[in-house]
Amino acid sequence: MYEKYYDLIGVGFGPAGIALETAIRDFEETGDEESYKRLFLEQNKSSAWMPEMLLPGTDIQHHFLRDFATPRNPRSKYTFSNYLFEKGRVFSFGLLGIPSRTEWSDYVQWVAKQVEEKAHYNEEVKLIEPLLVNNQVDGLKVHTKDKLNNKEMVYQTKNIVLNSGRKPFIPAIFKDKTGDKVIHASKFNSAVKKMDKHDNPTFTVVGSGQNSVEIMLYLANKFPNSKINSVIRHTGFRLYELGHFTNEVFFPDFTNYFYSLSQKKRNSLFEQIKHTNYSAVDNDVSEALYWKVYEDKIRGEEQIKLYRCKEINSVSTEPDYYSVNFKDIYSGEEGSIDTDYIILCTGFYEETYPEVLEPMKEYINFNNDNSISISQDYRVETKANVKANIYLNGLTERTHGIGDAASFTMMATKAQRILDSMEKSKLVEKGGVL
């Protein structure tokens, strides 16, 4: 175990980390040398984007110009437009206009491969602790473990950027049952490869978001003789709020407005705008599912059965199946479903406090509700004796709004703001004037 120093260490090299690296590279093109000695640490084997949800016929839910670079520098070589040019698909794509998830994943990998010499894959960050010098946090020590050979490393840095993704949300009644047959959507592709379609299994899909409908349509096609149950709390699948004015909540100006509010006002506003991105579906998948159910009725079949306005109370484990017990939210009528597989399309959540920062807790400022105090430039606000910077390149939806969630919308802009903040910090450290 030995130590190495870097000006910047990024925890994670998924889309948020890649966006930051491309911003730094574009910045370096204006200078003569490398601006930051840096390293990105990624626990997965690659930077693959949503590998478990790359289903045939699915597309992205944001405009393709909201890529790694266009919002901050449309001349960057890391834009989606340049990707299309390099791949020779500009005119073909022009006849379609919306990237599939397969194409967007290829774009992410295309960019990653151009910049990944700054990344270590299969290296998990276990802990970030203060480097104390005369009662002052002069830097940060990053403890990691190689997932292939278990080798432990320690790095030092002045700047940490947590490019953290959100974690799968698993309702309490399912937590002790997850495994090969109770599966969160974030592990869907791996799980479905182990299933034998000749067994004609019964599926129960829980949730009312986009991926729940996409998964049901996929299962209906792959397992034509299987029964698929859908359990949702609503009267049906809502459509995303896609109005032109409504969707300006994803613009940088709205992010600034959202941040300017008190946390109580932010929470209230978020309830109003959340259906632009959560617990809703696109029109095309809604129509596809409705056609499927409608045509099955014509044929006297019911491959997909919808259980609407239902709340799951418990799940019983039987010798060869699960019994999902539910109650109608409004009538109180109870019922149950016998099923072989349960697919949890129950979304994701942001960590309130990143576990890797536990040793830094006493040096971080908190709000009255015990949440981390975060500046507008995504820097974690710390005590006066901390001379290092911690940035959250993710986990900021509650402070910066829905554009800072899992969407690509603010990714390029956020990366630029973090880079600008580090540049200001560097200037201050050198005794410059802002």
Side-chain angles (χ1 to χ4, degrees):
M1 189 164 66
Y2 61 99
E3 299 184 358
K4 289 187 174 182
Y5 176 80
Y6 289 88
D7 299 315
L8 163 66
I9 290 181
V11 181
F13 200 60
I18 296 169
L20 179 58
E21 174 60 17
T22 61
I24 294 172
R25 290 194 178 219
D26 283 346
F27 173 69
E28 287 176 343
E29 285 191 3
T30 64
D32 298 325
E33 57 185 26
E34 182 178 82
S35 58
Y36 293 89
K37 182 183 178 183
R38 59 196 180 273
L39 175 66
F40 290 85
L41 301 164
E42 172 57 54
Q43 64 177 335
N44 294 312
K45 63 182 179 181
S46 73
S47 297
W49 177 73
M50 293 182 68
E52 298 288 353
M53 284 303 301
L54 294 183
L55 303 181
T58 57
D59 53 40
I60 64 173
Q61 268 79 60
H62 65 272
H63 196 280
F64 63 85
L65 290 180
R66 300 173 188 174
D67 55 22
F68 285 126
T70 299
R72 60 170 179 78
N73 179 12
R75 295 179 179 85
S76 171
K77 65 182 178 182
Y78 305 111
T79 65
F80 181 73
S81 298
N82 189 47
Y83 159 81
L84 290 175
F85 174 77
E86 293 290 340
K87 295 288 185 177
R89 294 203 302 269
V90 171
F91 287 95
S92 299
F93 178 80
L95 298 177
L96 298 170
I98 301 176
S100 67
R101 281 199 198 145
T102 299
E103 181 169 41
W104 198 258
S105 177
D106 190 60
Y107 162 65
V108 171
Q109 289 291 81
W110 176 79
V111 176
K113 288 191 182 303
Q114 296 181 63
V115 300
E116 65 184 5
E117 76 269 11
K118 298 293 184 183
H120 287 182
Y121 291 110
N122 294 302
E123 190 165 354
E124 182 179 8
V125 173
K126 307 297 287 187
L127 215 58
I128 298 169
E129 63 178 359
L131 177 62
L132 294 170
V133 178
N134 298 325
N135 295 318
Q136 178 173 283
V137 179
D138 201 48
L140 301 164
K141 297 174 74 174
V142 183
H143 295 256
T144 73
K145 188 173 185 178
D146 191 298
K147 297 178 74 174
L148 299 180
N149 59 24
N150 291 323
K151 184 178 180 180
E152 295 181 354
M153 296 284 288
V154 178
Y155 304 96
Q156 289 185 18
T157 187
K158 280 279 190 179
N159 297 286
I160 280 280
V161 182
L162 297 185
N163 306 299
S164 308
R166 304 190 306 164
K167 294 190 173 182
F169 174 70
I170 299 174
I173 58 174
F174 295 106
K175 280 191 174 176
D176 63 344
K177 294 180 172 60
T178 55
D180 290 340
K181 294 201 169 185
V182 179
I183 307 144
H184 190 271
S186 59
K187 297 184 178 179
F188 180 73
N189 272 341
S190 295
V192 80
K193 288 175 183 177
K194 301 175 184 176
M195 302 174 188
D196 187 345
K197 67 179 181 180
H198 301 294
D199 291 340
N200 300 326
T202 298
F203 299 94
T204 296
V205 179
V206 181
S208 58
Q210 177 85 0
N211 62 358
S212 64
V213 178
E214 291 172 346
I215 282 175
M216 282 192 286
L217 292 170
Y218 176 82
L219 291 173
N221 181 63
K222 185 174 179 64
F223 301 90
N225 297 315
S226 287
K227 297 294 182 182
I228 303 166
N229 304 297
S230 168
V231 182
I232 61 174
R233 295 175 56 86
H234 307 305
T235 56
F237 292 97
R238 301 172 179 171
L239 294 182
Y240 285 122
E241 292 185 12
L242 297 177
H244 296 85
F245 296 100
T246 303
N247 271 260
E248 287 193 358
V249 299
F250 292 97
F251 287 13
D253 284 347
F254 188 86
T255 299
N256 296 338
Y257 170 72
F258 191 93
Y259 183 85
S260 72
L261 303 175
S262 68
Q263 192 57 52
K264 184 178 179 180
K265 295 293 186 183
R266 291 172 187 163
N267 295 342
S268 176
L269 178 55
F270 192 84
E271 285 301 307
Q272 181 188 144
I273 65 178
K274 67 181 181 181
H275 294 302
T276 58
N277 199 39
Y278 296 130
S279 299
V281 302
D282 277 341
N283 184 69
D284 56 346
V285 299
S286 178
E287 185 173 358
L289 179 62
Y290 202 84
W291 266 113
K292 164 66 180 169
V293 173
Y294 181 77
E295 289 190 323
D296 279 359
K297 286 180 181 178
I298 296 172
R299 291 190 289 266
E301 301 173 356
E302 190 181 40
Q303 185 185 15
I304 298 177
K305 185 171 182 178
L306 306 183
Y307 290 85
R308 299 184 254 197
C309 301
K310 302 296 186 288
E311 183 173 57
I312 297 173
N313 295 325
S314 64
V315 180
S316 305
T317 305
E318 307 298 336
D320 299 316
Y321 61 92
Y322 294 95
S323 183
V324 178
N325 308 301
F326 60 81
K327 181 172 71 173
D328 189 286
I329 295 171
Y330 303 102
S331 71
E333 182 180 353
E334 297 184 346
S336 65
I337 302 167
D338 293 340
T339 187
D340 297 308
Y341 290 93
I342 300 173
I343 313 295
L344 301 174
C345 299
T346 46
F348 298 80
Y349 73 96
E350 290 187 349
E351 286 183 284
T352 305
Y353 187 87
E355 189 176 339
V356 294
L357 287 179
E358 193 64 33
M360 291 297 300
K361 215 162 192 176
E362 65 180 286
Y363 302 101
I364 288 174
N365 292 334
F366 291 85
N367 300 312
N368 292 334
D369 62 356
N370 292 321
S371 62
I372 300 175
S373 182
I374 304 169
S375 67
Q376 193 167 0
D377 60 7
Y378 305 97
R379 184 175 48 82
V380 173
E381 296 185 348
T382 55
K383 307 297 184 187
N385 66 334
V386 178
K387 305 304 178 186
N389 297 313
I390 302 170
Y391 293 91
L392 297 186
N393 193 9
L395 308 183
T396 52
E397 182 181 76
R398 67 183 302 280
T399 54
H400 289 69
I402 201 161
D404 269 30
S407 170
F408 260 76
T409 300
M410 280 289 294
M411 206 163 284
T413 305
K414 190 191 307 186
Q416 187 64 54
R417 289 182 177 182
I418 291 173
L419 177 58
D420 290 346
S421 177
M422 288 193 294
E423 283 295 297
K424 288 179 182 178
S425 178
K426 189 192 298 183
L427 184 61
V428 169
E429 189 175 345
K430 291 180 179 178
V433 179
L434 292 180

